[in-house]
């Protein structure tokens, strides 16, 4: 509802989006939804049904990490959807990264709490550290599609000569995860390589024009 309907489509009138955002954020914070201020629309009914199920299955007081992660994810997603290329030009491409870290990590924390209901404490730090790389990899793989749709990501932003290089950052962060998060564990190194460089390489072999485009654009 938040990502595909409210922020990446014209399904909801622009003047109504803020009302939805306020309602959703208040519901995440309190565990209760007040849809009385929303327009008479099927989306409002769907939002009320989904929220009612969620709050019954996962009571607010019993699952604080779920709703804290949900709020962080929502705020990062909302901020990301409002960011424009000119904003990044003023602050540099790396200014996008904190929001990407939060959104990618909290999305997976929410999904894992919903699926498993209980997570050990070490999961949270691992998720926050690791999932930035997944989002960067997804943005690279979706570069052409995002460019056509006009979506702003590290790989659709036109970087300047003095800005950071997202392709370099993608591989550098893979090395960081292996070295700092998993203490150079050989199994992790193999896994990161297989799901990173090796998987991307197999895709580029079938699309040599895509590989050429990246080589021309990134050092």
């Amino acid at each position: 509802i938040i990502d595909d309907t409210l922020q990446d489509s014209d399904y909801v009138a622009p003047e109504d989006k803020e009302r939805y955002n306020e309602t959703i954020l208040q519901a995440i914070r309190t565990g209760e939804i007040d849809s009385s201020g929303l327009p008479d629309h099927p989306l409002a009914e769907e939002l009320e049904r989904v929220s009612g199920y969620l709050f019954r299955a996962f009571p607010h007081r019993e699952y604080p990490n779920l709703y804290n992660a949900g709020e962080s994810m929502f705020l990062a997603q909302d901020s990301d959807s409002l960011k424009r290329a000119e904003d990044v030009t003023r602050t540099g491409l790396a200014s996008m990264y904190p929001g990407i870290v939060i959104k990618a990590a909290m999305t997976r924390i929410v999904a894992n709490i919903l699926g498993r209901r209980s997570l050990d404490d070490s999961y949270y730090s691992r998720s926050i550290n690791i999932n930035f790389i997944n989002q960067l990899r997804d943005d690279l793989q979706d570069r052409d599609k995002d460019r056509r749709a006009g979506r702003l990501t590290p790989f659709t932003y036109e970087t300047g000569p003095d800005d950071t290089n997202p392709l370099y950052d993608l591989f550098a962060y893979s090395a960081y995860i292996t070295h700092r998060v998993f203490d150079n564990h050989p199994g992790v190194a193999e896994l990161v390589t297989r799901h990173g460089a090796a998987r991307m390489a197999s895709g580029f072999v079938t699309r040599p024009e895509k590989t050429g485009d990246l080589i021309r654009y990134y050092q």
Side-chain angles (χ1 to χ4, degrees):
I1 289 176
I2 293 169
D3 191 2
D4 296 333
T5 305
L6 284 177
Q7 294 172 342
D8 283 348
S9 79
D10 296 323
Y11 186 65
V12 177
E15 59 270 18
D16 290 333
K17 287 187 178 181
E18 188 56 35
R19 295 160 69 187
Y20 278 100
N21 285 345
E22 291 172 356
T23 299
I24 292 170
L25 187 57
Q26 186 66 12
I28 293 172
R29 287 172 171 170
T30 64
E32 299 177 357
I33 186 165
D34 178 9
S35 59
S36 59
L38 296 178
D40 185 14
H41 191 284
L43 180 62
E45 298 174 12
E46 180 70 7
L47 186 61
E48 194 163 24
R49 278 197 297 270
V50 170
S51 300
Y53 168 77
L54 180 66
F55 296 144
R56 288 192 300 273
F58 297 88
H60 205 265
R61 289 185 179 180
E62 295 178 26
Y63 292 90
N65 288 348
L66 171 63
Y67 295 101
N68 288 336
E71 180 178 353
S72 297
M73 183 185 82
F74 178 83
L75 292 173
Q77 175 79 14
D78 188 47
S79 174
D80 185 55
S81 71
L82 298 173
K83 191 164 289 187
R84 300 291 177 262
E86 52 268 28
D87 301 324
V88 181
T89 299
R90 286 194 299 270
T91 55
L93 177 58
S95 66
M96 292 182 67
Y97 288 173
I100 293 172
V101 169
I102 293 171
K103 187 169 65 170
M106 297 306 155
T107 299
R108 287 159 177 85
I109 286 175
V110 166
N112 274 273
I113 294 176
L114 293 176
R116 302 179 186 183
R117 292 185 174 263
S118 178
L119 300 174
D120 62 88
D121 289 342
S122 64
Y123 174 83
Y124 296 101
S125 60
R126 288 200 309 271
S127 183
I128 291 170
N129 276 299
I130 292 170
N131 283 304
F132 176 57
I133 197 68
N134 294 327
Q135 189 62 49
L136 270 186
R137 189 184 301 124
D138 290 346
D139 287 340
L140 173 61
Q141 292 172 333
D142 293 340
R143 182 170 181 254
D144 295 338
K145 181 173 64 176
D146 288 337
R147 290 171 80 178
R148 289 192 298 270
R151 285 190 284 267
L152 180 64
T153 77
F155 288 99
T156 62
Y157 173 69
E158 301 291 327
T159 56
D162 298 325
D163 212 336
T164 189
N165 178 336
L167 189 60
Y168 176 89
D169 292 341
L170 171 62
F171 287 97
Y173 203 78
S174 296
Y176 170 82
I177 290 170
T178 304
H179 178 58
R180 294 295 298 275
V181 180
F182 290 100
D183 197 27
N184 284 327
H185 190 287
V188 172
E190 180 185 353
L191 192 66
V192 168
T193 303
R194 186 165 70 243
H195 285 279
R199 192 174 76 175
M200 285 189 289
S202 65
F204 291 142
V205 164
T206 62
R207 295 274 307 278
E209 73 283 358
K210 187 173 182 179
T211 309
D213 180 50
L214 289 175
I215 291 172
R216 285 189 298 273
Y217 195 79
Y218 298 111
Q219 185 176 17

